[in-house]
Amino acid sequence: MDKIGLLKKCQFFSELDNSALAMLSQVVRRGLCNKGELLFSEGDDARALYILSGGSVDLVKISPDGREQFVRGVKA
C-alpha cells in the first residue's frame, strides 16, 4: 500500500483531504520491526508517530520489581 493509502486507513488522518495527505506523506518513513524489538519506552521523548500497517504490537509495562506486565495487544 502506498503512503497516502496507509494514512487514509488511519482514523487519526482519515478526515484530511488528498492535498493534506500528500503533504503529510512526504515526511512518512516506512520501516520494519523484528519480533521482540523495542520501539520506545515509558518516559522517552516523543520522536515519532507509529502507524501499524501489518502484524501486531504488544504494549507492556515494567513493574517496579522488574516484571513485565501485559497492558494491551494490537493487530493490524
Side-chain angles (χ1 to χ4, degrees), residues 4-72:
I4 293 176
L6 175 64
L7 291 168
K8 281 183 181 180
K9 275 184 57 175
C10 181
Q11 185 176 359
F12 191 73
F13 300 115
S14 63
E15 298 293 321
L16 295 178
D17 63 26
N18 286 340
S19 174
L21 289 170
M23 286 185 359
L24 185 58
S25 73
Q26 307 236 345
V27 296
V28 169
R29 290 183 297 167
R30 296 189 125 191
L32 296 174
C33 297
N34 296 313
K35 184 175 183 171
E37 184 175 345
L38 180 67
L39 297 177
F40 56 86
S41 295
E42 184 176 8
D44 286 353
D45 289 338
R47 297 175 187 245
L49 171 68
Y50 295 95
I51 300 172
L52 183 62
S53 64
S56 63
V57 172
D58 290 335
L59 177 63
V60 296
K61 184 168 178 70
I62 307 298
S63 66
D65 62 1
R67 289 184 293 153
E68 283 189 2
Q69 190 174 14
F70 179 79
V71 176
R72 183 174 182 185

